[in-house]
Amino acid sequence: MANSVGDGAYYVTSALYFTHVVGLAPGRVGLGLTVAWAVGSLVGVPLERLADRRGPRGTAVLLALATAAAVASFLVVRGFLPFVLAACAYASAQSGLAAARQALLAGLIPAGERTGLLAHLQSTLNAGLAVGAGLGGLALHAGTRAAYLGVFALDAVSFLLCAALLLRLPAVTHLAVHRSHGLGVLRDRPYVLVTFLNTVLLLRMPLLSLGIPLWITERTEAPAWLVSALFVLNTGAVMVFQVRMARGVTGLASATRAIRRSGLVMLASCAVFALSSGVSPWVAVGALVAGAVLQVVAEMQQSAGSWQLAFGLAPADRMGEYQGFFGTGVTVARTMGPLVLTALLVGWGTPGWLLLGGVMLAASYAMGPATRWATATADPSKEAVRQPVPVN
């Protein structure tokens, strides 16, 4: 909750802050963020290994403080190069922090309870994003430099609060970390394949923030305010129903079934979204709302299944490294998604929607064989039944 309130305010104001206050061209902002997330995904790997070797709680606290410092540095950035450096520091700390927190969760929570807890966390995250987005909206309404700076200060403070809260959690005993080849998790080909397939499914992430807004404004007669309404619909649905949707996911088999169902629902969602083009405004509104409902159902199913796979297929003694690698799918989706979705949806129209849905359906059905391959080739010495024990 602490992070998501600050992040929600940051998400809705950052683009205008960097262009209107810092004075960067939109193209340079996009280039800088792409470079930053690419660097963050690379730097995140040694940070993730640090969580395995030095303990996830201490690593998470340090990275939360580093993220707060990176956000605070945005307050004094006044040029392109300083912006890129600050963004790289932010993305690197964020990537490492996400992996360290996942590793901490794996050490404190029994395997059978993780997916349910992650569902609760996802609901809480969406509630915080909604509150933060409201605060960011106030800053946008004010439109002053001071209001924007206040949002970034709020985000920095939220990470300081996160660090303080992490310190209140128990430490986790270290498992003996097996020395691995320099490529680390990349040698685990089944896990790499599962991560790749999950990355394809994560193309839904920029769909709500970029793909659908562009589709509405460029290809339909629906009013522009519907973009905000669909965001509220998505956030509210996840907040209310994510826990319930995750209850049936208790193992690898149920996780792959949930992901297969998500692929089918996502294909239906894409087909319904495509129907909103070339019709009257209110018919378009109806189709877009129906498509958004199907999309959020697919999102909740895919999230629950992927959480289970991410933990269930990772060795217990390298949880931070594996969770960090699995989390790079989010970075890749954020980086490549805008390019892919713009080309498919705005460029191709209805065929693009159907191709997107077909690709996601294929990825969801391929997850079952990939998971079975990962299970069949697992090293018995690394099975996750050896859970770390909390140390007070």
Side-chain angles (χ1 to χ4, degrees), residues 287-339:
L288 289 165
V289 170
V293 170
L294 292 170
Q295 186 270 331
V296 74
V297 170
E299 173 185 336
M300 290 186 287
Q301 291 174 328
Q302 186 268 329
S303 294
S306 66
W307 295 331
Q308 185 70 41
L309 296 182
F311 285 110
L313 298 175
D317 61 344
R318 295 165 62 195
M319 194 63 73
E321 180 184 352
Y322 271 63
Q323 296 310 306
F325 179 73
F326 197 83
T328 59
V330 175
T331 303
V332 174
R334 284 175 173 170
T335 304
M336 301 301 298
L339 300 176

mmCIF file of all heavy atoms in Angstrom, residues 287-339:
data_model
loop_
_atom_site.group_PDB
_atom_site.id
_atom_site.type_symbol
_atom_site.label_atom_id
_atom_site.label_comp_id
_atom_site.label_asym_id
_atom_site.label_seq_id
_atom_site.Cartn_x
_atom_site.Cartn_y
_atom_site.Cartn_z
ATOM 1 N N ALA A 287 -19.441 -2.249 -26.342
ATOM 2 C CA ALA A 287 -18.444 -3.253 -26.716
ATOM 3 C C ALA A 287 -17.157 -3.069 -25.927
ATOM 4 O O ALA A 287 -16.539 -4.045 -25.477
ATOM 5 C CB ALA A 287 -18.159 -3.170 -28.214
ATOM 6 N N LEU A 288 -16.744 -1.832 -25.727
ATOM 7 C CA LEU A 288 -15.507 -1.568 -24.999
ATOM 8 C C LEU A 288 -15.626 -1.964 -23.524
ATOM 9 O O LEU A 288 -14.692 -2.521 -22.946
ATOM 10 C CB LEU A 288 -15.131 -0.093 -25.123
ATOM 11 C CG LEU A 288 -14.650 0.342 -26.517
ATOM 12 C CD1 LEU A 288 -14.662 1.854 -26.649
ATOM 13 C CD2 LEU A 288 -13.247 -0.204 -26.791
ATOM 14 N N VAL A 289 -16.769 -1.687 -22.921
ATOM 15 C CA VAL A 289 -16.964 -2.081 -21.526
ATOM 16 C C VAL A 289 -16.981 -3.605 -21.403
ATOM 17 O O VAL A 289 -16.360 -4.181 -20.504
ATOM 18 C CB VAL A 289 -18.268 -1.468 -20.968
ATOM 19 C CG1 VAL A 289 -18.607 -2.074 -19.607
ATOM 20 C CG2 VAL A 289 -18.135 0.049 -20.863
ATOM 21 N N ALA A 290 -17.688 -4.281 -22.331
ATOM 22 C CA ALA A 290 -17.725 -5.752 -22.299
ATOM 23 C C ALA A 290 -16.322 -6.329 -22.503
ATOM 24 O O ALA A 290 -15.918 -7.281 -21.815
ATOM 25 C CB ALA A 290 -18.671 -6.269 -23.379
ATOM 26 N N GLY A 291 -15.566 -5.755 -23.445
ATOM 27 C CA GLY A 291 -14.208 -6.224 -23.663
ATOM 28 C C GLY A 291 -13.327 -6.008 -22.449
ATOM 29 O O GLY A 291 -12.494 -6.851 -22.106
ATOM 30 N N ALA A 292 -13.522 -4.869 -21.764
ATOM 31 C CA ALA A 292 -12.718 -4.578 -20.571
ATOM 32 C C ALA A 292 -13.037 -5.541 -19.435
ATOM 33 O O ALA A 292 -12.149 -5.924 -18.667
ATOM 34 C CB ALA A 292 -12.958 -3.139 -20.129
ATOM 35 N N VAL A 293 -14.311 -5.935 -19.309
ATOM 36 C CA VAL A 293 -14.690 -6.912 -18.280
ATOM 37 C C VAL A 293 -14.006 -8.250 -18.549
ATOM 38 O O VAL A 293 -13.423 -8.872 -17.646
ATOM 39 C CB VAL A 293 -16.222 -7.083 -18.225
ATOM 40 C CG1 VAL A 293 -16.600 -8.271 -17.346
ATOM 41 C CG2 VAL A 293 -16.879 -5.811 -17.715
ATOM 42 N N LEU A 294 -14.048 -8.699 -19.799
ATOM 43 C CA LEU A 294 -13.377 -9.948 -20.140
ATOM 44 C C LEU A 294 -11.867 -9.838 -19.932
ATOM 45 O O LEU A 294 -11.217 -10.779 -19.465
ATOM 46 C CB LEU A 294 -13.680 -10.321 -21.595
ATOM 47 C CG LEU A 294 -15.124 -10.724 -21.907
ATOM 48 C CD1 LEU A 294 -15.336 -10.824 -23.415
ATOM 49 C CD2 LEU A 294 -15.463 -12.049 -21.230
ATOM 50 N N GLN A 295 -11.315 -8.686 -20.280
ATOM 51 C CA GLN A 295 -9.865 -8.504 -20.138
ATOM 52 C C GLN A 295 -9.423 -8.591 -18.683
ATOM 53 O O GLN A 295 -8.402 -9.216 -18.367
ATOM 54 C CB GLN A 295 -9.461 -7.150 -20.731
ATOM 55 C CG GLN A 295 -7.966 -6.908 -20.787
ATOM 56 C CD GLN A 295 -7.421 -6.233 -19.536
ATOM 57 O OE1 GLN A 295 -8.132 -5.490 -18.877
ATOM 58 N NE2 GLN A 295 -6.175 -6.517 -19.208
ATOM 59 N N VAL A 296 -10.170 -7.999 -17.768
ATOM 60 C CA VAL A 296 -9.754 -8.030 -16.366
ATOM 61 C C VAL A 296 -9.947 -9.417 -15.776
ATOM 62 O O VAL A 296 -9.172 -9.844 -14.906
ATOM 63 C CB VAL A 296 -10.493 -6.952 -15.552
ATOM 64 C CG1 VAL A 296 -11.946 -7.324 -15.296
ATOM 65 C CG2 VAL A 296 -9.769 -6.703 -14.230
ATOM 66 N N VAL A 297 -10.937 -10.177 -16.252
ATOM 67 C CA VAL A 297 -11.084 -11.562 -15.814
ATOM 68 C C VAL A 297 -9.857 -12.370 -16.248
ATOM 69 O O VAL A 297 -9.274 -13.132 -15.463
ATOM 70 C CB VAL A 297 -12.378 -12.181 -16.371
ATOM 71 C CG1 VAL A 297 -12.408 -13.697 -16.118
ATOM 72 C CG2 VAL A 297 -13.597 -11.529 -15.735
ATOM 73 N N ALA A 298 -9.448 -12.195 -17.517
ATOM 74 C CA ALA A 298 -8.253 -12.891 -18.005
ATOM 75 C C ALA A 298 -7.021 -12.465 -17.220
ATOM 76 O O ALA A 298 -6.162 -13.292 -16.882
ATOM 77 C CB ALA A 298 -8.065 -12.604 -19.495
ATOM 78 N N GLU A 299 -6.917 -11.183 -16.907
ATOM 79 C CA GLU A 299 -5.774 -10.676 -16.145
ATOM 80 C C GLU A 299 -5.675 -11.338 -14.779
ATOM 81 O O GLU A 299 -4.596 -11.768 -14.355
ATOM 82 C CB GLU A 299 -5.916 -9.160 -15.978
ATOM 83 C CG GLU A 299 -4.878 -8.538 -15.065
ATOM 84 C CD GLU A 299 -5.130 -7.056 -14.844
ATOM 85 O OE1 GLU A 299 -5.781 -6.418 -15.685
ATOM 86 O OE2 GLU A 299 -4.663 -6.537 -13.804
ATOM 87 N N MET A 300 -6.801 -11.453 -14.066
ATOM 88 C CA MET A 300 -6.774 -12.041 -12.723
ATOM 89 C C MET A 300 -6.445 -13.524 -12.773
ATOM 90 O O MET A 300 -5.719 -14.042 -11.913
ATOM 91 C CB MET A 300 -8.109 -11.790 -12.025
ATOM 92 C CG MET A 300 -8.333 -10.330 -11.657
ATOM 93 S SD MET A 300 -9.830 -10.035 -10.684
ATOM 94 C CE MET A 300 -11.124 -10.266 -11.931
ATOM 95 N N GLN A 301 -6.950 -14.234 -13.784
ATOM 96 C CA GLN A 301 -6.625 -15.657 -13.918
ATOM 97 C C GLN A 301 -5.147 -15.852 -14.241
ATOM 98 O O GLN A 301 -4.475 -16.705 -13.652
ATOM 99 C CB GLN A 301 -7.490 -16.284 -15.013
ATOM 100 C CG GLN A 301 -8.961 -16.383 -14.674
ATOM 101 C CD GLN A 301 -9.790 -16.880 -15.834
ATOM 102 O OE1 GLN A 301 -9.480 -16.613 -16.996
ATOM 103 N NE2 GLN A 301 -10.861 -17.597 -15.547
ATOM 104 N N GLN A 302 -4.646 -15.064 -15.184
ATOM 105 C CA GLN A 302 -3.239 -15.191 -15.570
ATOM 106 C C GLN A 302 -2.311 -14.818 -14.424
ATOM 107 O O GLN A 302 -1.288 -15.474 -14.199
ATOM 108 C CB GLN A 302 -2.966 -14.306 -16.791
ATOM 109 C CG GLN A 302 -1.578 -14.463 -17.386
ATOM 110 C CD GLN A 302 -0.573 -13.470 -16.812
ATOM 111 O OE1 GLN A 302 -0.948 -12.357 -16.445
ATOM 112 N NE2 GLN A 302 0.689 -13.857 -16.731
ATOM 113 N N SER A 303 -2.648 -13.791 -13.666
ATOM 114 C CA SER A 303 -1.811 -13.385 -12.540
ATOM 115 C C SER A 303 -1.709 -14.498 -11.501
ATOM 116 O O SER A 303 -0.609 -14.838 -11.040
ATOM 117 C CB SER A 303 -2.384 -12.121 -11.890
ATOM 118 O OG SER A 303 -2.318 -11.014 -12.765
ATOM 119 N N ALA A 304 -2.852 -15.069 -11.128
ATOM 120 C CA ALA A 304 -2.846 -16.126 -10.115
ATOM 121 C C ALA A 304 -2.019 -17.325 -10.574
ATOM 122 O O ALA A 304 -1.226 -17.881 -9.804
ATOM 123 C CB ALA A 304 -4.280 -16.551 -9.803
ATOM 124 N N GLY A 305 -2.183 -17.727 -11.820
ATOM 125 C CA GLY A 305 -1.426 -18.861 -12.332
ATOM 126 C C GLY A 305 0.061 -18.579 -12.409
ATOM 127 O O GLY A 305 0.892 -19.427 -12.048
ATOM 128 N N SER A 306 0.433 -17.403 -12.856
ATOM 129 C CA SER A 306 1.860 -17.083 -13.019
ATOM 130 C C SER A 306 2.561 -16.973 -11.673
ATOM 131 O O SER A 306 3.728 -17.347 -11.542
ATOM 132 C CB SER A 306 2.022 -15.790 -13.818
ATOM 133 O OG SER A 306 1.527 -14.668 -13.102
ATOM 134 N N TRP A 307 1.879 -16.458 -10.651
ATOM 135 C CA TRP A 307 2.494 -16.390 -9.321
ATOM 136 C C TRP A 307 2.869 -17.788 -8.845
ATOM 137 O O TRP A 307 3.951 -18.011 -8.315
ATOM 138 C CB TRP A 307 1.535 -15.755 -8.317
ATOM 139 C CG TRP A 307 1.218 -14.324 -8.582
ATOM 140 C CD1 TRP A 307 2.010 -13.398 -9.198
ATOM 141 C CD2 TRP A 307 0.003 -13.646 -8.248
ATOM 142 N NE1 TRP A 307 1.363 -12.187 -9.268
ATOM 143 C CE2 TRP A 307 0.136 -12.306 -8.702
ATOM 144 C CE3 TRP A 307 -1.185 -14.021 -7.620
ATOM 145 C CZ2 TRP A 307 -0.867 -11.368 -8.518
ATOM 146 C CZ3 TRP A 307 -2.185 -13.082 -7.443
ATOM 147 C CH2 TRP A 307 -2.031 -11.775 -7.897
ATOM 148 N N GLN A 308 1.944 -18.729 -9.031
ATOM 149 C CA GLN A 308 2.204 -20.093 -8.579
ATOM 150 C C GLN A 308 3.384 -20.709 -9.332
ATOM 151 O O GLN A 308 4.239 -21.354 -8.738
ATOM 152 C CB GLN A 308 0.948 -20.945 -8.778
ATOM 153 C CG GLN A 308 1.042 -22.359 -8.234
ATOM 154 C CD GLN A 308 1.055 -22.392 -6.712
ATOM 155 O OE1 GLN A 308 0.325 -21.658 -6.066
ATOM 156 N NE2 GLN A 308 1.895 -23.238 -6.149
ATOM 157 N N LEU A 309 3.438 -20.502 -10.635
ATOM 158 C CA LEU A 309 4.533 -21.062 -11.424
ATOM 159 C C LEU A 309 5.868 -20.420 -11.058
ATOM 160 O O LEU A 309 6.899 -21.107 -10.986
ATOM 161 C CB LEU A 309 4.264 -20.868 -12.917
ATOM 162 C CG LEU A 309 3.048 -21.591 -13.503
ATOM 163 C CD1 LEU A 309 2.954 -21.331 -14.996
ATOM 164 C CD2 LEU A 309 3.096 -23.082 -13.221
ATOM 165 N N ALA A 310 5.880 -19.123 -10.850
ATOM 166 C CA ALA A 310 7.132 -18.426 -10.546
ATOM 167 C C ALA A 310 7.792 -18.989 -9.304
ATOM 168 O O ALA A 310 9.017 -19.177 -9.253
ATOM 169 C CB ALA A 310 6.866 -16.933 -10.372
ATOM 170 N N PHE A 311 7.002 -19.279 -8.273
ATOM 171 C CA PHE A 311 7.554 -19.829 -7.039
ATOM 172 C C PHE A 311 7.729 -21.343 -7.124
ATOM 173 O O PHE A 311 8.733 -21.891 -6.681
ATOM 174 C CB PHE A 311 6.637 -19.499 -5.858
ATOM 175 C CG PHE A 311 6.722 -18.080 -5.405
ATOM 176 C CD1 PHE A 311 5.668 -17.205 -5.603
ATOM 177 C CD2 PHE A 311 7.862 -17.615 -4.771
ATOM 178 C CE1 PHE A 311 5.739 -15.893 -5.171
ATOM 179 C CE2 PHE A 311 7.949 -16.304 -4.337
ATOM 180 C CZ PHE A 311 6.885 -15.434 -4.536
ATOM 181 N N GLY A 312 6.748 -22.028 -7.694
ATOM 182 C CA GLY A 312 6.757 -23.485 -7.677
ATOM 183 C C GLY A 312 7.855 -24.105 -8.506
ATOM 184 O O GLY A 312 8.264 -25.236 -8.236
ATOM 185 N N LEU A 313 8.358 -23.403 -9.512
ATOM 186 C CA LEU A 313 9.390 -23.944 -10.391
ATOM 187 C C LEU A 313 10.788 -23.442 -10.048
ATOM 188 O O LEU A 313 11.750 -23.798 -10.723
ATOM 189 C CB LEU A 313 9.074 -23.594 -11.855
ATOM 190 C CG LEU A 313 7.770 -24.174 -12.410
ATOM 191 C CD1 LEU A 313 7.522 -23.657 -13.824
ATOM 192 C CD2 LEU A 313 7.811 -25.702 -12.396
ATOM 193 N N ALA A 314 10.911 -22.621 -9.002
ATOM 194 C CA ALA A 314 12.209 -22.039 -8.644
ATOM 195 C C ALA A 314 12.833 -22.817 -7.496
ATOM 196 O O ALA A 314 12.141 -23.243 -6.571
ATOM 197 C CB ALA A 314 12.029 -20.576 -8.233
ATOM 198 N N PRO A 315 14.170 -23.029 -7.538
ATOM 199 C CA PRO A 315 14.854 -23.677 -6.410
ATOM 200 C C PRO A 315 14.851 -22.774 -5.189
ATOM 201 O O PRO A 315 15.000 -21.557 -5.292
ATOM 202 C CB PRO A 315 16.277 -23.892 -6.938
ATOM 203 C CG PRO A 315 16.442 -22.890 -8.015
ATOM 204 C CD PRO A 315 15.086 -22.693 -8.630
ATOM 205 N N ALA A 316 14.673 -23.370 -4.019
ATOM 206 C CA ALA A 316 14.522 -22.589 -2.791
ATOM 207 C C ALA A 316 15.761 -21.781 -2.457
ATOM 208 O O ALA A 316 15.655 -20.696 -1.870
ATOM 209 C CB ALA A 316 14.179 -23.529 -1.634
ATOM 210 N N ASP A 317 16.941 -22.272 -2.809
ATOM 211 C CA ASP A 317 18.169 -21.578 -2.422
ATOM 212 C C ASP A 317 18.556 -20.461 -3.379
ATOM 213 O O ASP A 317 19.544 -19.761 -3.142
ATOM 214 C CB ASP A 317 19.328 -22.571 -2.290
ATOM 215 C CG ASP A 317 19.625 -23.301 -3.596
ATOM 216 O OD1 ASP A 317 18.765 -23.260 -4.501
ATOM 217 O OD2 ASP A 317 20.700 -23.905 -3.709
ATOM 218 N N ARG A 318 17.797 -20.261 -4.459
ATOM 219 C CA ARG A 318 18.086 -19.183 -5.414
ATOM 220 C C ARG A 318 16.798 -18.444 -5.764
ATOM 221 O O ARG A 318 16.593 -18.010 -6.887
ATOM 222 C CB ARG A 318 18.746 -19.752 -6.677
ATOM 223 C CG ARG A 318 20.127 -20.353 -6.404
ATOM 224 C CD ARG A 318 20.612 -21.216 -7.550
ATOM 225 N NE ARG A 318 20.763 -20.453 -8.772
ATOM 226 C CZ ARG A 318 20.900 -20.999 -9.979
ATOM 227 N NH1 ARG A 318 20.912 -22.318 -10.112
ATOM 228 N NH2 ARG A 318 21.033 -20.246 -11.041
ATOM 229 N N MET A 319 15.937 -18.278 -4.757
ATOM 230 C CA MET A 319 14.625 -17.699 -5.006
ATOM 231 C C MET A 319 14.714 -16.267 -5.522
ATOM 232 O O MET A 319 13.987 -15.863 -6.423
ATOM 233 C CB MET A 319 13.787 -17.750 -3.726
ATOM 234 C CG MET A 319 12.307 -17.475 -3.948
ATOM 235 S SD MET A 319 11.491 -18.689 -5.007
ATOM 236 C CE MET A 319 11.416 -20.116 -3.909
ATOM 237 N N GLY A 320 15.619 -15.459 -4.944
ATOM 238 C CA GLY A 320 15.743 -14.076 -5.390
ATOM 239 C C GLY A 320 16.157 -13.982 -6.847
ATOM 240 O O GLY A 320 15.593 -13.200 -7.621
ATOM 241 N N GLU A 321 17.158 -14.782 -7.239
ATOM 242 C CA GLU A 321 17.629 -14.768 -8.628
ATOM 243 C C GLU A 321 16.514 -15.176 -9.579
ATOM 244 O O GLU A 321 16.299 -14.533 -10.620
ATOM 245 C CB GLU A 321 18.820 -15.713 -8.763
ATOM 246 C CG GLU A 321 19.395 -15.787 -10.172
ATOM 247 C CD GLU A 321 20.515 -16.802 -10.290
ATOM 248 O OE1 GLU A 321 20.948 -17.339 -9.253
ATOM 249 O OE2 GLU A 321 20.951 -17.065 -11.420
ATOM 250 N N TYR A 322 15.796 -16.245 -9.240
ATOM 251 C CA TYR A 322 14.739 -16.738 -10.121
ATOM 252 C C TYR A 322 13.558 -15.774 -10.181
ATOM 253 O O TYR A 322 12.998 -15.525 -11.260
ATOM 254 C CB TYR A 322 14.283 -18.130 -9.666
ATOM 255 C CG TYR A 322 15.076 -19.261 -10.293
ATOM 256 C CD1 TYR A 322 16.440 -19.405 -10.049
ATOM 257 C CD2 TYR A 322 14.480 -20.173 -11.143
ATOM 258 C CE1 TYR A 322 17.181 -20.436 -10.628
ATOM 259 C CE2 TYR A 322 15.200 -21.208 -11.729
ATOM 260 C CZ TYR A 322 16.554 -21.332 -11.471
ATOM 261 O OH TYR A 322 17.266 -22.346 -12.048
ATOM 262 N N GLN A 323 13.157 -15.224 -9.030
ATOM 263 C CA GLN A 323 12.040 -14.277 -9.043
ATOM 264 C C GLN A 323 12.403 -13.021 -9.823
ATOM 265 O O GLN A 323 11.573 -12.436 -10.513
ATOM 266 C CB GLN A 323 11.619 -13.922 -7.617
ATOM 267 C CG GLN A 323 11.071 -15.082 -6.817
ATOM 268 C CD GLN A 323 9.997 -15.839 -7.560
ATOM 269 O OE1 GLN A 323 9.021 -15.261 -8.015
ATOM 270 N NE2 GLN A 323 10.183 -17.146 -7.691
ATOM 271 N N GLY A 324 13.660 -12.600 -9.684
ATOM 272 C CA GLY A 324 14.089 -11.438 -10.447
ATOM 273 C C GLY A 324 14.046 -11.674 -11.940
ATOM 274 O O GLY A 324 13.603 -10.821 -12.712
ATOM 275 N N PHE A 325 14.490 -12.871 -12.365
ATOM 276 C CA PHE A 325 14.456 -13.177 -13.790
ATOM 277 C C PHE A 325 13.018 -13.263 -14.287
ATOM 278 O O PHE A 325 12.691 -12.731 -15.358
ATOM 279 C CB PHE A 325 15.183 -14.497 -14.057
ATOM 280 C CG PHE A 325 15.175 -14.902 -15.505
ATOM 281 C CD1 PHE A 325 15.963 -14.242 -16.427
ATOM 282 C CD2 PHE A 325 14.356 -15.934 -15.953
ATOM 283 C CE1 PHE A 325 15.951 -14.594 -17.766
ATOM 284 C CE2 PHE A 325 14.334 -16.289 -17.286
ATOM 285 C CZ PHE A 325 15.140 -15.618 -18.202
ATOM 286 N N PHE A 326 12.159 -13.913 -13.523
ATOM 287 C CA PHE A 326 10.752 -14.004 -13.922
ATOM 288 C C PHE A 326 10.137 -12.607 -14.024
ATOM 289 O O PHE A 326 9.327 -12.337 -14.915
ATOM 290 C CB PHE A 326 9.982 -14.843 -12.902
ATOM 291 C CG PHE A 326 8.654 -15.345 -13.393
ATOM 292 C CD1 PHE A 326 8.567 -16.491 -14.168
ATOM 293 C CD2 PHE A 326 7.484 -14.676 -13.067
ATOM 294 C CE1 PHE A 326 7.347 -16.961 -14.617
ATOM 295 C CE2 PHE A 326 6.250 -15.130 -13.509
ATOM 296 C CZ PHE A 326 6.179 -16.284 -14.295
ATOM 297 N N GLY A 327 10.555 -11.719 -13.124
ATOM 298 C CA GLY A 327 10.021 -10.365 -13.144
ATOM 299 C C GLY A 327 10.491 -9.520 -14.306
ATOM 300 O O GLY A 327 9.904 -8.464 -14.576
ATOM 301 N N THR A 328 11.545 -9.953 -15.016
ATOM 302 C CA THR A 328 11.972 -9.183 -16.183
ATOM 303 C C THR A 328 10.907 -9.180 -17.269
ATOM 304 O O THR A 328 10.924 -8.319 -18.151
ATOM 305 C CB THR A 328 13.289 -9.734 -16.770
ATOM 306 O OG1 THR A 328 13.109 -11.108 -17.156
ATOM 307 C CG2 THR A 328 14.419 -9.635 -15.774
ATOM 308 N N GLY A 329 9.982 -10.137 -17.194
ATOM 309 C CA GLY A 329 8.885 -10.138 -18.161
ATOM 310 C C GLY A 329 8.091 -8.851 -18.106
ATOM 311 O O GLY A 329 7.612 -8.340 -19.133
ATOM 312 N N VAL A 330 7.938 -8.297 -16.899
ATOM 313 C CA VAL A 330 7.224 -7.025 -16.750
ATOM 314 C C VAL A 330 7.988 -5.913 -17.459
ATOM 315 O O VAL A 330 7.400 -5.089 -18.178
ATOM 316 C CB VAL A 330 7.038 -6.694 -15.259
ATOM 317 C CG1 VAL A 330 6.412 -5.320 -15.087
ATOM 318 C CG2 VAL A 330 6.185 -7.764 -14.581
ATOM 319 N N THR A 331 9.320 -5.901 -17.274
ATOM 320 C CA THR A 331 10.137 -4.872 -17.919
ATOM 321 C C THR A 331 10.068 -4.977 -19.441
ATOM 322 O O THR A 331 9.917 -3.966 -20.140
ATOM 323 C CB THR A 331 11.597 -5.005 -17.458
ATOM 324 O OG1 THR A 331 11.654 -4.919 -16.039
ATOM 325 C CG2 THR A 331 12.459 -3.923 -18.072
ATOM 326 N N VAL A 332 10.169 -6.198 -19.951
ATOM 327 C CA VAL A 332 10.109 -6.389 -21.407
ATOM 328 C C VAL A 332 8.740 -5.977 -21.939
ATOM 329 O O VAL A 332 8.633 -5.322 -22.989
ATOM 330 C CB VAL A 332 10.416 -7.856 -21.764
ATOM 331 C CG1 VAL A 332 10.203 -8.103 -23.251
ATOM 332 C CG2 VAL A 332 11.850 -8.208 -21.380
ATOM 333 N N ALA A 333 7.684 -6.344 -21.228
ATOM 334 C CA ALA A 333 6.335 -5.977 -21.675
ATOM 335 C C ALA A 333 6.157 -4.462 -21.686
ATOM 336 O O ALA A 333 5.548 -3.905 -22.596
ATOM 337 C CB ALA A 333 5.291 -6.634 -20.780
ATOM 338 N N ARG A 334 6.696 -3.799 -20.663
ATOM 339 C CA ARG A 334 6.600 -2.335 -20.624
ATOM 340 C C ARG A 334 7.414 -1.687 -21.727
ATOM 341 O O ARG A 334 7.045 -0.624 -22.236
ATOM 342 C CB ARG A 334 7.108 -1.835 -19.267
ATOM 343 C CG ARG A 334 6.143 -2.048 -18.117
ATOM 344 C CD ARG A 334 6.783 -1.623 -16.812
ATOM 345 N NE ARG A 334 5.838 -1.655 -15.710
ATOM 346 C CZ ARG A 334 6.176 -1.516 -14.433
ATOM 347 N NH1 ARG A 334 7.463 -1.334 -14.117
ATOM 348 N NH2 ARG A 334 5.275 -1.554 -13.487
ATOM 349 N N THR A 335 8.537 -2.322 -22.099
ATOM 350 C CA THR A 335 9.424 -1.741 -23.107
ATOM 351 C C THR A 335 8.927 -2.006 -24.524
ATOM 352 O O THR A 335 8.842 -1.099 -25.359
ATOM 353 C CB THR A 335 10.845 -2.301 -22.938
ATOM 354 O OG1 THR A 335 11.293 -2.044 -21.610
ATOM 355 C CG2 THR A 335 11.797 -1.650 -23.919
ATOM 356 N N MET A 336 8.591 -3.285 -24.801
ATOM 357 C CA MET A 336 8.213 -3.669 -26.154
ATOM 358 C C MET A 336 6.712 -3.552 -26.413
ATOM 359 O O MET A 336 6.300 -3.403 -27.568
ATOM 360 C CB MET A 336 8.637 -5.120 -26.405
ATOM 361 C CG MET A 336 10.131 -5.364 -26.253
ATOM 362 S SD MET A 336 11.118 -4.334 -27.378
ATOM 363 C CE MET A 336 10.529 -4.927 -28.976
ATOM 364 N N GLY A 337 5.909 -3.638 -25.353
ATOM 365 C CA GLY A 337 4.459 -3.611 -25.525
ATOM 366 C C GLY A 337 3.933 -2.420 -26.305
ATOM 367 O O GLY A 337 3.114 -2.578 -27.217
ATOM 368 N N PRO A 338 4.380 -1.181 -25.962
ATOM 369 C CA PRO A 338 3.876 -0.033 -26.717
ATOM 370 C C PRO A 338 4.127 -0.139 -28.217
ATOM 371 O O PRO A 338 3.252 0.203 -29.026
ATOM 372 C CB PRO A 338 4.640 1.142 -26.103
ATOM 373 C CG PRO A 338 4.916 0.699 -24.698
ATOM 374 C CD PRO A 338 5.181 -0.779 -24.805
ATOM 375 N N LEU A 339 5.312 -0.615 -28.615
ATOM 376 C CA LEU A 339 5.612 -0.749 -30.039
ATOM 377 C C LEU A 339 4.717 -1.802 -30.691
ATOM 378 O O LEU A 339 4.150 -1.596 -31.763
ATOM 379 C CB LEU A 339 7.081 -1.124 -30.225
ATOM 380 C CG LEU A 339 8.116 -0.139 -29.676
ATOM 381 C CD1 LEU A 339 9.523 -0.703 -29.840
ATOM 382 C CD2 LEU A 339 7.990 1.205 -30.376
#
